[in-house]
Amino acid sequence: MSTDDLTQGLAAALDGRDADVRRQVRDQLIPHAGLLHEADELPRDAYRERVRDLLLEMTKSGLTGLGFPKEYGGAGDVGASIAAFETLALGDLSILVKSGVQFGLFGGAILHLGTERHHEAYLSDVVSGRLLGCFAMTEHGHGSNVAELGTTLTYDPDTDELIVTTTDANAYKDYIGNAAKDGELAVVFANLVVAGEKHGVHAVLVPIRVDGRPAPGVRIEDDGPKMGLNGVDNGRLWFDDVRVPRANLLNRFADITDDGRYESSIENPNRRFFTMLGTLVQGRVSVGGAALGAARSALTIATLYADRRRQFGSGDGQEMLLLDYGQHQRRLLPLIARTYALTFAQEVLREQLHEVFSAPPETVETQTRRELESRAAGTKALATWHATRAIQECREACGGAGYLAANRFAALKADTDVFTTFEGDNTVLLQLVAKGLLTDYASDFEDLDQFGMVRFVTGVAVETVLERTAAHKLLERVRDLLPGGDSWDQEAELRDPEYHLAMLRFREEHMLGGVARRLKRGVDAGGDPAAVFSGVQDHVIASAHAHVERLVLEAFTAKVDKLPDGPTKDLLARVCSLHALGEIERDRAWFLEHGRLSVARSKAISREVGALCRELRPSASTLVEAFSVPRELLRAEDLIG
Amino acid sequence: MSTDDLTQGLAAALDGRDADVRRQVRDQLIPHAGLLHEADELPRDAYRERVRDLLLEMTKSGLTGLGFPKEYGGAGDVGASIAAFETLALGDLSILVKSGVQFGLFGGAILHLGTERHHEAYLSDVVSGRLLGCFAMTEHGHGSNVAELGTTLTYDPDTDELIVTTTDANAYKDYIGNAAKDGELAVVFANLVVAGEKHGVHAVLVPIRVDGRPAPGVRIEDDGPKMGLNGVDNGRLWFDDVRVPRANLLNRFADITDDGRYESSIENPNRRFFTMLGTLVQGRVSVGGAALGAARSALTIATLYADRRRQFGSGDGQEMLLLDYGQHQRRLLPLIARTYALTFAQEVLREQLHEVFSAPPETVETQTRRELESRAAGTKALATWHATRAIQECREACGGAGYLAANRFAALKADTDVFTTFEGDNTVLLQLVAKGLLTDYASDFEDLDQFGMVRFVTGVAVETVLERTAAHKLLERVRDLLPGGDSWDQEAELRDPEYHLAMLRFREEHMLGGVARRLKRGVDAGGDPAAVFSGVQDHVIASAHAHVERLVLEAFTAKVDKLPDGPTKDLLARVCSLHALGEIERDRAWFLEHGRLSVARSKAISREVGALCRELRPSASTLVEAFSVPRELLRAEDLIG
């Protein structure tokens, strides 16, 4: 098989179902590659205008609205819409994020939280870009803890209107994309009050700008310069008793009747809130996928550079290629392997999302939705942290040249940095994952905060978790999968995927059991739930992390299994081994501490990681060429020619 | 003792000998705090002008030239000059770097590589800022491997001139500070050719700009926008057979005689080159110290924020402070502790530098110089990596607000990012450290590249290293220091500083011995030195890392020992324990693998780190207040009021 065929085989595996959509988006980005240069040079206002204009031009292709129903100009294809968004991340990331604000958050909220009257009134204009809007959830005082938003939405039966009010100094909406300049309409999240009774957070449509000026009662401030994404006009919004018609309430899950009564199909206010939030899961899936796109660009540049840059003699007069240094292989190859792994995990997530959102809502089990939300949260956290780390490592691996804006890392770093904390702070997201695991996604408890979780876990459910994660049971299950009987973890081949999976499954379950035990012990000893939680929080997060790592490895392993025999499969199997052994090596202290690695085997794993890096070194450029980042978008002419 | 007294006690410990100089620099920065805001808003050209003008204004205080001899306007105080530079890092970092280019690199090269005729002609103008200049070493094709520079310096006996030539497409000087706009004179590093004979890299003074235009034969290009430090005018230089008088050669270590012969007090060309480079060690010391200043700013903001920001309920209606979450303590407190540790390690380095450069050159042993260079390289690597990590963690710990430029992290991240690769790539620097350790700073071998080192180490010296690092000897030495006899590592108190030191010393020596053994085995088996080195490179770097970590801990421990008994000492002792146990925890896999940690003790150490974080939590704000970053320079009004 030629290198080209191999590259294509890998690219096809990475692209998955929507290869054609991805190709179209790449083709669409190439003529606008100049924006990457303009972003360095234009003043902020002009850059914002360019981004808006280009985004509007790109909407014409229909690729930005694939997820919307056909009757409003979309394609009714959620999976394809995520694939398109992921690919958009190969270009300027302000375009990406502005697109995400407009179509994912603003349009998505109208689609998922609104009903036909809102769809009819707005969706066509949203999809075409004629109506630009905002998703006004986060407040200055409340980012992660959205349930505590200070903005109120009070129903006035006299005028049949809703009144939007910024109630205190910290309750203004902050960091809102499209707010500072372009947005005309906002989906505003606020605590609804009807007839003096509070009903929790709801969403309402509020015009914020008319003919380019703030609407009456609305105050708008620019968030000013940011670390990156300066083509997006983030801003702050204050509402001084702004009145909108009752019909502006996005009323899919709750409504105010003609006679002024509040009604909802979901009784529990917390559960209602989380159901509403759940429909917005696409945002997290999108950010995780976009982060991987940015990591692809960085790894492509650093790897191609290392495969042509020579530095220091090798004794025979010719200097040595950077990529022939063991340390350099260790820097880049595991990051490439992890990018593959997370891409396949993202594919599983994207397909599950597509299934859930393509099915009639009433046919989808609550548990399925919760598992999807958990997987989205966890994958987003791991993918965005990975992107931050990979881009940083790649920048350093290109030395001082990596510092010049023309070589792409400046924007990649600055623009993606916020990914780890927006659409859910990664740490908070991993807690969400842990909560799901500890409560088995019990729908009755989805609305608990972490302290509620503490109480719950130490109650009835703890027995279930402890039972399930009892060490002997774990080992029994693993033993049946691998040769070697009770000493499977000594006997298994180091590159056996079943061994890797067994190790990651064991870690996950053992950690989870440990958290449950610690929580129970803390509360049994009469501890305050907040203090108990605080003391065990790093274990909570570690167990969520371990869970998602297992999902990621399962996705990679399953992907390799499904490929037809041949060089592509062989190569990917080795990349998968490198990813799996790299993860076991990274956390080998834990495995040593928990009796799953002997000292000799731990050292053998480190050696095997080094050996895999050397074996994969000749394929390094092929592996990144398969990321399919168009040459025009990489810039970096000095580095990779 | 009041909190204020405690803060002052800590601040005094951090400030060290030059507290007064540091205070003066802080006072000087405050009125220019507005530059931090302007940096976000000004176009690049205007920002550069502001930086130049402010730097020129700041030279008037004399604080930027403290390291130069008194007769040229300096204070002849190397230690104070580093302290001033470190403190300058609390302000805009373009000012810092432009100052470093002008006074450290350009002025430093004239001072250390030139002789009286250059000092008389230039130093007063350099110190006063009347003459701005460049340090033109790095080329596009050669950054780390400076010995291979392509620029040539050819002596023409007919005119008694030196001809500077950019010989090929990759030999142009790149990333040169002050080149794009302000520099008039450059110290150019080039390969000297006299009478057809090559003599290696030497430095020469070349005028590059006259009346604001490139000098004849000099081509200048702007490096354009960078990730950060956009107030510094980095550029590229090409020399088209530019002629300068013979007297422009910086001739402290080598000269061309009146009759056109080359002569040097140092015979070996490589050793000569490394001796010249060695005089420039201040640059690395300065960058490491500056990185710690930037880390201080970031940690101050994130910690003060976490001590007032509440998010998520604690059950009693009031939301909980971020800093009361276990995970948040784990994020910030070890980074604070490590900043203290590296600050004290930097103090030792600064004092050694001061001693070496204050003594008559002929009285300083070569070994002493080599050890200083090694310590400077290692401390720079650890301090700059620490800064990158700490700033990133702090940004994430401030959520979306951390992304706004007004909250300081944008500039901190972007400006410091290059620290890990300039003034020596960190990975290359750690190899330099390892080379010193493996060859015992043997002056005959200082000029070896890594492959030469491989051959050397596997020769005579390997026996010395192996002898010294034999496991039983290591343990013998440790045993005498600690109670518990042979089982000291099981018996010692977890917070005993001697235990921490013993662990880090054991690791260092054991790793070093391992590298020596591996190199020997590789070469004995007939391996090509390049391949042998590549295969063992990660161990080489790890052992250098372990060495520097030991130096850092020794510095911290010694600092605590010297403090008078009292609350400051008690607090710092706990910070030191957190730092030490955090490092042992981070690398506990290695200690488990090498029989120095039992599983039970490994887990106990993780628990102890958690316990120390909880104990130190009430002191967190005090610990960062002692960093003494002026409030005006922190900006971040939304975060810390």
Side-chain angles (χ1 to χ4, degrees):
Chain A
M1 193 181 244
S2 75
T3 307
D4 274 3
D5 290 345
L6 197 53
T7 309
Q8 279 173 31
L10 293 168
L14 288 164
D15 277 356
R17 191 196 75 161
D18 294 300
D20 195 51
V21 165
R22 291 180 194 274
R23 189 190 47 70
Q24 290 175 49
V25 175
R26 284 193 287 261
D27 288 348
Q28 191 179 38
L29 285 172
I30 293 172
H32 303 308
L35 181 62
L36 297 166
H37 171 72
E38 288 177 288
D40 297 333
E41 299 292 349
L42 290 176
R44 201 160 62 248
D45 281 344
Y47 179 30
R48 286 175 172 183
E49 275 177 40
R50 282 288 289 151
V51 165
R52 185 199 55 210
D53 293 349
L54 275 181
L55 181 62
L56 290 179
E57 190 175 326
M58 288 167 82
T59 59
K60 291 178 193 157
S61 68
L63 291 166
T64 52
L66 295 171
F68 290 93
K70 289 181 183 159
E71 56 267 44
Y72 305 117
D77 189 334
V78 178
S81 82
I82 304 285
F85 189 81
E86 289 170 3
T87 312
L88 204 56
L90 303 180
D92 175 88
L93 294 169
S94 286
I95 290 269
L96 174 93
V97 169
K98 198 164 173 100
S99 166
V101 167
Q102 169 70 12
F103 304 106
L105 296 174
F106 172 61
I110 295 176
L111 177 63
H112 295 298
L113 302 180
T115 52
E116 205 183 343
R117 67 174 185 242
H118 308 106
H119 299 173
E120 287 294 330
Y122 301 111
L123 282 186
S124 294
D125 286 346
V126 171
V127 173
S128 69
R130 280 188 300 272
L131 174 68
L132 296 180
C134 306
F135 180 84
M137 180 184 276
T138 298
E139 293 177 359
H140 192 67
H142 285 95
S144 293
N145 190 5
V146 180
E148 296 294 322
L149 293 177
T151 306
T152 57
L153 182 65
T154 312
Y155 179 61
D156 179 352
D158 294 341
T159 60
D160 199 24
E161 288 173 320
L162 287 158
I163 308 167
V164 189
T165 312
T166 302
T167 51
D168 68 57
N170 280 316
Y172 63 87
K173 300 294 178 185
D174 205 355
Y175 323 116
I176 309 301
N178 265 345
K181 217 148 164 63
D182 294 330
E184 293 182 57
L185 188 66
V187 175
V188 176
F189 290 80
N191 267 296
L192 179 64
V193 181
V194 181
E197 199 181 337
K198 293 178 180 176
H199 295 283
V201 172
H202 290 67
V204 65
L205 289 167
V206 185
I208 59 163
R209 197 176 262 109
V210 182
D211 297 331
R213 299 168 153 264
V218 177
R219 183 151 71 88
I220 303 180
E221 209 175 73
D222 198 317
D223 267 322
K226 304 185 295 286
M227 186 179 293
L229 300 176
N230 279 303
V232 184
D233 54 323
N234 293 80
R236 303 175 173 127
L237 298 170
W238 284 259
F239 300 98
D240 183 14
D241 294 340
V242 174
R243 289 175 171 265
V244 297
R246 171 167 60 104
N248 280 26
L249 187 72
L250 294 177
N251 61 338
R252 175 165 162 204
F253 296 105
D255 207 351
I256 298 167
T257 59
D258 289 340
D259 57 348
R261 283 178 305 105
Y262 176 81
E263 63 173 24
S264 169
S265 52
I266 308 172
E267 199 123 340
N268 180 315
N270 274 328
R271 186 159 350 140
R272 186 187 313 129
F273 174 62
F274 281 102
T275 303
M276 292 185 196
L277 284 190
T279 63
L280 306 172
V281 63
Q282 289 181 42
R284 285 178 187 160
V285 178
S286 302
V287 171
L292 296 175
R296 285 185 182 199
S297 298
L299 284 162
T300 302
I301 296 169
T303 305
L304 296 182
Y305 176 66
D307 214 358
R308 51 181 277 173
R309 171 83 170 183
R310 294 176 183 276
Q311 202 76 179
F312 288 109
S314 64
D316 60 358
Q318 168 102 303
E319 288 183 282
M320 211 164 110
L321 287 170
L322 293 189
L323 208 43
D324 285 329
Y325 285 95
Q327 173 76 359
H328 217 82
Q329 293 162 13
R330 273 262 183 181
R331 282 177 107 159
L332 296 181
L333 282 161
L335 292 172
I336 294 173
R338 192 166 170 81
T339 304
Y340 273 82
L342 286 162
T343 301
F344 298 132
Q346 172 77 7
E347 180 179 37
V348 172
L349 172 61
R350 198 171 53 242
E351 286 175 1
Q352 288 185 357
L353 178 84
H354 183 76
E355 265 177 52
V356 164
F357 279 80
S358 302
E362 63 281 7
T363 66
V364 180
E365 304 265 355
T366 305
Q367 167 109 356
T368 305
R369 284 190 194 279
R370 295 293 163 268
E371 286 187 24
L372 171 66
E373 288 162 25
S374 169
R375 187 185 275 266
T379 308
K380 184 268 185 186
L382 265 58
T384 54
W385 270 326
H386 170 65
T388 298
R389 190 161 69 88
I391 294 166
Q392 180 67 30
E393 197 66 52
C394 289
R395 196 305 277 166
E396 293 184 31
C398 292
Y403 199 62
L404 301 186
N407 291 329
R408 201 73 175 78
F409 295 108
L412 282 172
K413 252 194 79 160
D415 291 344
T416 60
D417 189 78
V418 77
F419 288 10
T420 54
T421 52
F422 80 178
E423 290 291 311
D425 174 272
N426 283 357
T427 304
V428 176
L429 291 180
L430 286 182
Q431 283 174 211
L432 188 78
V433 171
K435 194 174 79 171
L437 293 171
L438 287 165
T439 60
D440 215 8
Y441 307 102
S443 59
D444 280 358
F445 296 94
E446 70 204 11
D447 54 325
L448 295 174
D449 65 13
Q450 63 267 44
F451 309 118
M453 180 186 81
V454 171
R455 287 193 202 89
F456 171 66
V457 167
T458 57
V460 284
V462 75
E463 299 306 331
T464 323
V465 173
L466 289 178
E467 168 83 6
R468 197 181 63 217
T469 59
H472 66 278
K473 295 226 174 185
L474 288 181
L475 293 178
E476 258 170 44
R477 261 173 287 157
V478 169
R479 200 174 46 202
D480 299 339
L481 289 170
L482 282 165
D486 282 332
S487 47
W488 59 270
D489 51 357
Q490 297 299 316
E491 300 284 324
E493 291 291 329
L494 284 179
R495 297 194 186 183
D496 182 348
E498 289 296 340
Y499 166 63
H500 306 153
L501 286 169
M503 291 288 275
L504 265 50
R505 285 174 184 149
F506 178 85
R507 179 180 62 173
E508 171 188 356
E509 301 264 298
H510 195 289
M511 279 186 170
L512 205 60
V515 169
R517 263 190 307 279
R518 281 186 175 86
L519 289 174
K520 183 173 157 57
R521 204 187 305 142
V523 173
D524 286 354
D528 161 51
V532 171
F533 177 79
S534 175
V536 82
Q537 193 185 14
D538 51 344
H539 296 276
V540 168
I541 289 167
S543 65
H545 205 118
H547 167 72
V548 190
E549 288 290 355
R550 190 260 298 169
L551 294 180
V552 170
L553 182 60
E554 281 183 349
F556 199 162
T557 309
K559 184 82 185 186
V560 173
D561 278 351
K562 272 184 288 185
L563 287 177
D565 288 344
T568 305
K569 182 175 189 154
D570 293 346
L571 180 55
L572 269 187
R574 274 198 276 187
V575 175
C576 187
S577 277
L578 175 58
H579 166 69
L581 291 174
E583 171 59 18
I584 294 170
E585 186 197 28
R586 188 191 62 76
D587 208 17
R588 68 194 192 284
W590 189 91
F591 290 106
L592 284 158
E593 286 171 350
H594 294 84
R596 293 277 70 78
L597 273 185
S598 66
V599 162
R601 198 165 170 94
S602 177
K603 292 179 175 175
I605 283 176
S606 289
R607 278 195 304 276
E608 198 70 9
V609 170
L612 277 162
C613 286
R614 283 191 293 279
E615 282 176 41
L616 287 170
R617 185 260 171 269
S619 310
S621 287
T622 303
L623 287 169
V624 297
E625 297 280 10
F627 286 156
S628 308
V629 187
R631 183 64 197 84
E632 295 84 346
L633 301 179
L634 290 173
R635 307 179 71 195
E637 276 155 40
D638 280 348
L639 296 183
I640 57 175
Chain B
M1 193 181 245
S2 74
T3 307
D4 275 2
D5 290 346
L6 197 53
T7 309
Q8 280 173 31
L10 293 168
L14 288 164
D15 276 357
R17 190 195 76 160
D18 294 300
D20 196 49
V21 164
R22 291 181 195 274
R23 190 189 45 71
Q24 290 175 50
V25 175
R26 284 193 288 262
D27 287 348
Q28 190 180 38
L29 285 172
I30 293 172
H32 303 308
L35 181 62
L36 297 166
H37 171 73
E38 288 178 288
D40 297 332
E41 299 291 351
L42 289 175
R44 201 159 61 248
D45 282 343
Y47 178 30
R48 285 174 173 183
E49 276 177 40
R50 282 288 290 151
V51 165
R52 185 199 55 210
D53 293 349
L54 275 182
L55 180 62
L56 290 179
E57 191 176 326
M58 288 167 81
T59 59
K60 292 178 194 157
S61 68
L63 291 166
T64 52
L66 295 171
F68 291 94
K70 287 181 185 159
E71 55 266 46
Y72 306 117
D77 189 335
V78 177
S81 83
I82 305 285
F85 189 81
E86 289 170 1
T87 312
L88 205 55
L90 303 179
D92 174 89
L93 293 170
S94 285
I95 290 268
L96 174 94
V97 169
K98 197 163 175 102
S99 166
V101 167
Q102 168 70 12
F103 304 106
L105 296 175
F106 171 60
I110 296 175
L111 178 64
H112 295 297
L113 302 180
T115 53
E116 206 182 343
R117 66 173 187 246
H118 308 107
H119 298 173
E120 288 294 331
Y122 300 112
L123 282 186
S124 293
D125 286 346
V126 171
V127 173
S128 70
R130 280 188 300 273
L131 174 66
L132 296 180
C134 306
F135 181 85
M137 180 184 274
T138 298
E139 293 177 359
H140 191 68
H142 285 96
S144 292
N145 190 7
V146 180
E148 296 292 323
L149 291 178
T151 305
T152 58
L153 183 65
T154 312
Y155 178 63
D156 179 353
D158 295 341
T159 60
D160 198 24
E161 287 173 320
L162 288 158
I163 309 168
V164 189
T165 312
T166 302
T167 52
D168 68 56
N170 281 316
Y172 63 88
K173 300 293 178 184
D174 205 354
Y175 324 116
I176 309 301
N178 265 346
K181 214 145 166 69
D182 293 330
E184 293 182 56
L185 188 66
V187 175
V188 177
F189 289 80
N191 267 297
L192 180 64
V193 181
V194 181
E197 200 181 335
K198 291 180 181 174
H199 294 283
V201 172
H202 290 66
V204 65
L205 288 168
V206 185
I208 58 163
R209 194 175 265 111
V210 182
D211 298 332
R213 298 169 153 265
V218 177
R219 183 151 70 88
I220 304 180
E221 208 175 75
D222 197 316
D223 266 324
K226 305 185 295 288
M227 187 181 294
L229 301 176
N230 279 304
V232 183
D233 53 324
N234 293 80
R236 304 176 172 127
L237 298 170
W238 284 260
F239 300 99
D240 182 15
D241 294 339
V242 175
R243 286 172 174 267
V244 297
R246 171 167 61 102
N248 280 26
L249 186 72
L250 294 179
N251 61 337
R252 174 165 162 205
F253 296 104
D255 208 353
I256 298 167
T257 60
D258 288 341
D259 57 349
R261 282 179 306 105
Y262 177 81
E263 64 173 21
S264 170
S265 53
I266 308 173
E267 198 124 339
N268 180 314
N270 274 329
R271 188 158 350 139
R272 186 189 311 128
F273 174 61
F274 281 101
T275 303
M276 292 186 195
L277 284 192
T279 63
L280 306 171
V281 64
Q282 289 179 42
R284 285 179 188 160
V285 178
S286 300
V287 170
L292 297 175
R296 285 185 182 199
S297 298
L299 283 162
T300 303
I301 296 169
T303 305
L304 296 182
Y305 176 66
D307 215 357
R308 52 181 275 171
R309 170 81 170 184
R310 294 176 182 276
Q311 202 77 179
F312 288 110
S314 65
D316 60 358
Q318 168 105 304
E319 287 182 283
M320 210 163 112
L321 287 170
L322 294 187
L323 208 43
D324 285 330
Y325 286 95
Q327 172 75 0
H328 217 82
Q329 293 163 12
R330 273 261 184 182
R331 281 177 109 160
L332 296 181
L333 283 161
L335 292 172
I336 294 172
R338 192 165 170 82
T339 304
Y340 272 82
L342 286 162
T343 301
F344 298 131
Q346 172 76 7
E347 180 179 37
V348 172
L349 172 63
R350 196 171 54 242
E351 286 176 0
Q352 289 186 358
L353 177 84
H354 183 77
E355 266 177 51
V356 165
F357 279 80
S358 302
E362 61 281 7
T363 66
V364 180
E365 304 264 359
T366 305
Q367 167 112 358
T368 305
R369 284 191 194 279
R370 295 293 163 268
E371 285 187 24
L372 171 66
E373 288 162 26
S374 168
R375 187 185 274 268
T379 308
K380 184 267 184 185
L382 266 57
T384 54
W385 271 326
H386 170 65
T388 299
R389 189 161 68 90
I391 294 167
Q392 180 67 32
E393 197 66 51
C394 289
R395 198 303 279 166
E396 293 183 31
C398 290
Y403 199 63
L404 301 186
N407 291 329
R408 201 74 174 80
F409 296 108
L412 283 171
K413 252 193 79 161
D415 292 344
T416 60
D417 189 78
V418 78
F419 288 10
T420 54
T421 52
F422 80 179
E423 290 292 310
D425 174 272
N426 282 358
T427 304
V428 175
L429 291 180
L430 287 183
Q431 283 174 210
L432 188 78
V433 171
K435 194 174 78 171
L437 293 171
L438 287 164
T439 60
D440 215 10
Y441 308 101
S443 59
D444 281 357
F445 297 93
E446 70 205 10
D447 55 326
L448 295 174
D449 66 12
Q450 62 267 44
F451 308 118
M453 178 186 83
V454 170
R455 288 193 203 89
F456 171 67
V457 167
T458 57
V460 284
V462 75
E463 299 306 329
T464 325
V465 174
L466 289 178
E467 168 84 6
R468 198 181 63 217
T469 59
H472 67 279
K473 295 225 174 187
L474 288 181
L475 292 178
E476 258 170 45
R477 261 173 287 157
V478 169
R479 199 174 44 202
D480 299 340
L481 289 170
L482 280 165
D486 282 333
S487 48
W488 59 269
D489 52 356
Q490 296 299 315
E491 300 285 323
E493 290 289 330
L494 284 179
R495 297 194 188 183
D496 182 348
E498 291 296 342
Y499 166 64
H500 306 153
L501 286 168
M503 291 288 275
L504 264 51
R505 284 173 185 150
F506 178 86
R507 179 180 62 172
E508 171 188 357
E509 301 264 297
H510 195 288
M511 280 187 169
L512 206 59
V515 169
R517 263 190 307 278
R518 281 186 173 86
L519 289 174
K520 182 171 156 59
R521 204 187 305 145
V523 173
D524 285 354
D528 162 51
V532 171
F533 176 78
S534 176
V536 81
Q537 193 184 15
D538 51 343
H539 296 276
V540 169
I541 289 168
S543 65
H545 204 118
H547 167 71
V548 190
E549 288 289 355
R550 190 259 300 167
L551 294 180
V552 170
L553 182 59
E554 281 183 350
F556 199 162
T557 308
K559 184 81 184 187
V560 173
D561 278 349
K562 273 183 287 185
L563 287 178
D565 288 344
T568 305
K569 181 176 191 154
D570 293 345
L571 180 55
L572 269 186
R574 273 197 278 188
V575 175
C576 187
S577 278
L578 175 58
H579 166 69
L581 291 175
E583 171 60 17
I584 295 170
E585 187 197 27
R586 188 190 63 75
D587 208 17
R588 67 194 193 284
W590 189 91
F591 290 105
L592 284 158
E593 285 171 350
H594 294 83
R596 292 276 70 78
L597 273 184
S598 66
V599 163
R601 198 164 171 93
S602 178
K603 291 179 177 176
I605 283 176
S606 290
R607 277 195 305 274
E608 199 70 8
V609 170
L612 276 161
C613 286
R614 281 190 295 279
E615 280 175 42
L616 287 170
R617 184 261 170 267
S619 310
S621 287
T622 303
L623 288 168
V624 297
E625 298 279 9
F627 287 155
S628 307
V629 186
R631 183 64 197 84
E632 295 84 346
L633 301 178
L634 291 172
R635 306 180 72 192
E637 275 156 42
D638 279 349
L639 295 183
I640 57 177

